Amino acid sequence: MRLRILILTLFLGTSFFAKAQLDQLMPVPKSVEATKGKFRIGNKFIASIREKAPSRADEGVKRFLQRLDGRTGLNIADYPDKIHFPVDGLNVWLRRGAELKLHEDESYSIKITASRIMVEAETDFGALHSLETLLQLLSVDDEGYYFPACNIEDAPRFPWRGLLIDVCRHWQPVDVIKRNLDGMSAMKLNVFHWHLSEDQGFRIESKTFPMLHKMGSNGNFYTQEQVRDILAYADARGIRVVPEFDIPGHATAWFVGHPELASAPGPYEIEKGFGVFDPALNPASETTYKFLEQFLGEMCQLFPDQYFHIGGDENNGKQWDKNPEVQQLKKDKGLKDNHAVQAYFNTRLLEMLTENGKRMVGWDEILQTEMPKNIVIQSWRGKEALVKAANEGYDVMLSNGYYIDLSRSTAKHYLNDPLPSDLNLNKGAKAHVLGGEATMWAELVSFETIDSRIWPRTCAIAERFWSPESVKDVDDMYRRIGKVSQNLEELGLLHIKNPDMLLRRMLGSNNIQALKVMISAIGPLQGYKRHGQGIKYSTDLPLTRLPDIAIPDPEFPRKFAKLVNAHLEKPDEMRGLIIANWLNLFKNNHRELEGLAKQSPRVKELLPLSGQLQALSIAGVGLLDMLAEGKADATRKAAYKSMIDNAKKPFLECEILIVPSIEAMWKAVYE
């Protein structure tokens, strides 16, 4: 068993430094030219930065040196030299400090020779990006660490490259936000979309209306001091922070402390369940607008970014239909339906935000003919909304296809392009496509599991937003993403560590190898299927069960599928033996779990799923034998098909991801 587990580790593992890392970069730069030579790194490695460089670049170089030292153990100095330039080390030359705004210059160039490293950038944003590229270039050979000689020219494809984190449905503390900001910086993402209000919680301190956070948060909210700290942390990494307060729907938490804002009488309680709820702000009451004018004024002062997100999605209009004031508003203003009412509401909001120097951003529901062209549409329901808005002259960005909470495959996200060359856009409309955002909605994540839902799949999304459209080789993306994922661990991200930790908690022991073997072949149900499997999820449930531990798009099933497909295309005795060894490992692993189940009721719960995996593996071994013999055993056809069909059924909100490979073997034998 231990030998097989060692084989499993070797099969799944990737070496941290394999060779010169020019072909490992992620996101892929615009151009990379390999040249001759290696810049060797020793404990006297130094960095020089322009004497009057802004503090953002200065601190970025310090972080670079600390991370480089952490990887090499060479005790490198942790400060840049500002006196001498250039030096026989790293030289960072930039022209100015960047403004934290959309469309700022983020380009950079790197030239590495045997004697020095030269970085040039228009702004410190470009300099920060260059340092992340350099860390990915770190290589090793039998003489030690080095940077390969090369010339790199790079700049992003899109100016808006974002990650949304919902902190409302499940609360996410400050440390979660900061470590994910570090991950964003490493992958050259530049917009943190902070979803701060929902039916399940109002997550920010308001000094103007303190009942919002006191009554609407269950005590889990960010103080304004914490917000400023996070804003500064993001600024230091070249990341803009765009706040979202979702209105007029998704607003139940507002009404716990301020029921007078709602379109129906209270009292209200914070929602614990998930879905689309009826409560909505009253668009017919001037009290609502006076309140919002003060509240938005306060938040616009707190958040410096030019863009401000008002949500606007999934308002079902049920409270409005029953509210006499809203019906009278329709008559008075000639508003034909609730969409027109919401457009009226949004127009009032736009006036407030414009007075505060902000541009409004909203989900695609806010796209109405009455709305002026200076708002930004975030498309979540489909590219049709993006195309329509861009063709009508609105700035747009794409989130449809980047919902990382749905546990879709990395490849699916990677091949989803905000601006493919065949998109049906009018002349000039392409310039309105700003980029896109990955969205981490929090119905099914906790502070312990959120990293494994964001990373490493968001690395592929980051590459889609940064690299040229032509960079879309899925196999090559998967080849690079494993190493990048390991590098992210040094930033404190827990996407690799925490699944093992949760398995130890499940078992109450360190003896988790059998659990790891089983979990390597499964994944959580994709899409919204977890919500229909019998568990009624709420904010009260601890997210520590198997579908929370299993990671989206695990590596083993993908590699196993390639192995099986290659064997079916060209049978090979050694390849068949490797496949058989894997299947026997899963088959025998069930007995290991049966033993562990005697110690743990939670492991006992997993036995039916493990039994399905065992039966599937037995069928796979039998099918392999038939393939080798070139003869189908008709007596086992129905039995094996039944084993495969049973293994397709979800269990514990998980699915066995090697089923398609075994089914392909069955078809090769019997069809």
Side-chain angles (χ1 to χ4, degrees):
M1 182 68 178
R2 290 181 180 175
L3 177 60
R4 286 176 174 168
I5 291 168
L6 175 61
I7 295 172
L8 177 66
T9 303
L10 292 173
F11 182 75
L12 293 178
T14 54
S15 60
F16 199 77
F17 303 111
K19 54 183 178 178
Q21 302 297 323
L22 285 170
D23 64 348
Q24 300 291 328
L25 298 176
M26 187 176 239
V28 171
K30 288 182 70 174
S31 72
V32 180
E33 177 192 10
T35 57
K36 292 184 178 180
K38 298 177 180 180
F39 180 89
R40 292 285 173 188
I41 305 167
N43 59 6
K44 294 184 179 180
F45 179 84
I46 58 173
S48 177
I49 190 168
R50 193 186 70 172
E51 184 178 356
K52 295 182 180 180
S55 60
R56 191 187 284 137
D58 191 26
E59 293 303 312
V61 172
K62 288 180 182 179
R63 292 195 303 273
F64 166 83
L65 291 170
Q66 289 165 358
R67 289 166 64 190
L68 183 63
D69 197 14
R71 293 191 194 181
T72 64
L74 292 173
N75 295 320
I76 298 168
D78 62 354
Y79 58 89
D81 186 335
K82 287 192 172 185
I83 299 174
H84 305 95
F85 191 96
V87 296
D88 293 335
L90 169 63
N91 299 275
V92 179
W93 193 92
L94 55 96
R95 293 173 179 82
R96 61 182 174 86
E99 295 182 55
L100 199 62
K101 65 178 184 179
L102 186 67
H103 296 299
E104 182 58 285
D105 192 308
E106 299 178 76
S107 64
Y108 68 90
S109 67
I110 298 173
K111 184 175 183 179
I112 302 175
T113 66
S115 59
R116 65 180 47 152
I117 303 168
M118 297 295 298
V119 166
E120 292 189 29
E122 172 66 26
T123 71
D124 47 4
F125 287 174
L128 292 176
H129 295 322
S130 75
L131 298 175
E132 295 296 342
T133 299
L134 277 173
L135 284 167
Q136 290 188 13
L137 285 171
L138 182 63
S139 307
V140 68
D141 60 17
D142 54 2
E143 294 182 37
Y145 296 100
Y146 69 93
F147 290 109
C150 62
N151 296 320
I152 294 176
E153 298 287 337
D154 203 8
R157 182 181 173 206
F158 294 108
W160 192 302
R161 308 180 306 280
L163 170 65
L164 175 150
I165 298 182
D166 167 13
V167 299
C168 303
R169 291 175 173 90
H170 277 96
W171 165 247
Q172 305 298 331
V174 169
D175 65 306
V176 173
I177 303 302
K178 285 188 172 182
R179 69 184 185 236
N180 279 284
L181 286 169
D182 282 325
M184 291 176 64
S185 177
M187 298 314 301
K188 301 181 175 67
L189 294 170
N190 67 350
V191 180
F192 169 44
H193 178 164
W194 204 354
H195 188 80
L196 287 164
S197 73
E198 257 302 336
D199 296 297
Q200 296 80 14
F202 191 95
R203 301 301 186 193
I204 190 169
E205 176 189 22
S206 171
K207 296 184 183 296
T208 305
F209 299 107
M211 296 302 286
L212 284 171
H213 66 272
K214 288 183 178 180
M215 298 292 290
S217 71
N218 285 327
N220 291 321
F221 63 91
Y222 305 100
T223 66
Q224 293 198 8
E225 183 179 0
Q226 288 174 319
V227 170
R228 292 188 184 93
D229 178 48
I230 288 172
L231 290 170
Y233 197 88
D235 184 298
R237 288 150 181 81
I239 297 172
R240 297 167 42 224
V241 179
V242 175
E244 178 185 353
F245 296 93
D246 201 353
I247 47 179
H250 285 292
T252 305
W254 294 64
F255 307 146
V256 182
H258 288 276
E260 72 278 8
L261 301 176
S263 297
Y268 288 89
E269 295 181 352
I270 299 171
E271 277 290 348
K272 294 185 176 182
F274 306 118
V276 177
F277 301 98
D278 297 346
L281 288 165
N282 186 350
S285 170
E286 285 304 311
T287 298
T288 299
Y289 298 109
K290 290 177 182 178
F291 183 100
L292 289 174
E293 187 174 16
Q294 294 180 67
F295 173 76
L296 292 176
E298 178 186 15
M299 292 299 119
C300 287
Q301 289 295 313
L302 180 61
F303 289 93
D305 197 79
Q306 183 185 2
Y307 292 81
F308 199 100
H309 207 299
I310 56 92
D313 62 313
E314 295 185 320
N315 173 32
N316 65 20
K318 290 184 178 180
Q319 282 196 348
W320 290 1
D321 290 338
K322 298 178 181 179
N323 185 304
E325 291 180 324
V326 176
Q327 299 311 307
Q328 187 62 45
L329 176 70
K330 286 182 179 181
K331 293 178 182 179
D332 293 345
K333 301 292 183 181
L335 306 174
K336 63 179 181 179
D337 54 26
N338 286 337
H339 292 292
V341 173
Q342 187 157 335
Y344 168 80
F345 174 80
N346 289 340
T347 302
R348 297 286 298 267
L349 289 185
L350 181 60
E351 293 173 359
M352 300 175 199
L353 292 175
T354 302
E355 288 176 2
N356 283 281
K358 304 295 186 183
R359 285 190 66 182
M360 178 191 288
V361 187
W363 301 104
D364 52 38
E365 285 95 330
I366 75 168
L367 180 60
Q368 300 289 332
T369 54
E370 297 89 346
M371 299 304 293
K373 296 294 191 293
N374 64 340
I375 65 174
V376 179
I377 305 299
Q378 185 165 3
S379 173
W380 73 277
R381 293 183 297 183
K383 282 190 179 175
E384 296 81 5
L386 180 143
V387 170
K388 182 177 187 295
N391 282 337
E392 292 179 7
Y394 293 93
D395 283 348
V396 297
M397 57 176 161
L398 183 67
S399 281
N400 177 266
Y402 301 127
Y403 270 47
I404 51 178
D405 60 307
L406 300 184
S407 297
R408 306 282 192 199
S409 74
T410 314
K412 186 176 182 66
H413 297 310
Y414 188 64
L415 294 176
N416 181 48
D417 197 302
L419 188 58
S421 54
D422 60 353
L423 198 63
N424 186 24
L425 291 176
N426 300 332
K427 184 179 179 180
K430 288 184 177 181
H432 288 295
V433 181
L434 303 178
E437 288 184 356
T439 53
M440 184 65 258
W441 300 109
E443 286 94 339
L444 298 177
V445 292
S446 70
F447 67 96
E448 293 181 316
T449 63
I450 188 170
D451 293 4
S452 71
R453 270 49 186 168
I454 298 176
W455 309 106
R457 290 178 301 145
T458 298
C459 299
I461 298 173
E463 179 160 284
R464 179 55 50 238
F465 295 159
W466 179 279
S467 301
E469 181 188 359
S470 59
V471 179
K472 52 186 176 183
D473 185 320
V474 170
D475 287 340
D476 189 64
M477 176 273 291
Y478 276 125
R479 178 184 64 81
R480 292 177 286 120
I481 202 169
K483 180 179 181 296
V484 173
S485 180
Q486 290 181 29
N487 288 344
L488 290 175
E489 274 202 302
E490 74 186 24
L491 302 172
L493 289 163
L494 305 176
H495 58 296
I496 297 175
K497 295 178 182 177
N498 269 15
D500 281 7
M501 178 271 291
L502 291 168
L503 288 176
R504 288 191 292 271
R505 184 186 300 172
M506 173 185 285
L507 183 59
S509 166
N510 289 326
N511 184 26
I512 61 171
Q513 294 293 358
L515 287 170
K516 290 182 69 173
V517 168
M518 184 192 75
I519 209 170
S520 70
I522 69 171
L525 286 178
Q526 297 184 28
Y528 295 103
K529 294 178 183 177
R530 283 187 65 180
H531 294 283
Q533 302 299 311
I535 299 292
K536 187 175 181 179
Y537 279 100
S538 74
T539 55
D540 288 338
L541 286 183
L543 298 171
T544 58
R545 298 167 60 248
L546 188 66
D548 307 304
I549 302 170
I551 63 172
D553 199 13
E555 187 175 14
F556 175 79
R558 186 175 66 251
K559 288 191 172 183
F560 185 76
K562 292 189 71 172
L563 193 66
V564 169
N565 290 340
H567 186 65
L568 294 178
E569 184 176 335
K570 186 178 181 181
D572 176 84
E573 183 178 355
M574 181 56 67
R575 193 183 289 124
L577 181 61
I578 294 171
I579 295 170
N581 282 340
W582 288 118
L583 294 173
N584 284 321
L585 174 62
F586 291 124
K587 182 182 71 173
N588 297 330
N589 193 65
H590 183 65
R591 291 196 294 270
E592 297 278 340
L593 288 175
E594 285 178 321
L596 292 176
K598 296 175 182 177
Q599 309 168 29
S600 170
R602 293 191 65 190
V603 175
K604 187 176 181 180
E605 180 187 34
L606 310 182
L607 290 182
L609 181 61
S610 178
Q612 287 181 348
L613 181 57
Q614 181 190 47
L616 184 69
S617 301
I618 291 170
V621 171
L623 291 165
L624 267 179
D625 290 341
M626 291 183 222
L627 285 167
E629 296 167 1
K631 183 179 179 181
D633 183 347
T635 64
R636 289 186 278 176
K637 180 179 179 180
Y640 285 172
K641 183 66 165 61
S642 178
M643 291 175 179
I644 293 168
D645 289 343
N646 285 335
K648 289 180 180 179
K649 299 173 183 177
F651 186 79
L652 292 178
E653 299 153 58
C654 291
E655 55 187 334
I656 300 174
L657 298 177
I658 65 169
V659 169
S661 297
I662 308 303
E663 188 167 39
M665 292 165 60
W666 187 91
K667 289 180 179 179
V669 169
Y670 290 111
E671 293 184 354

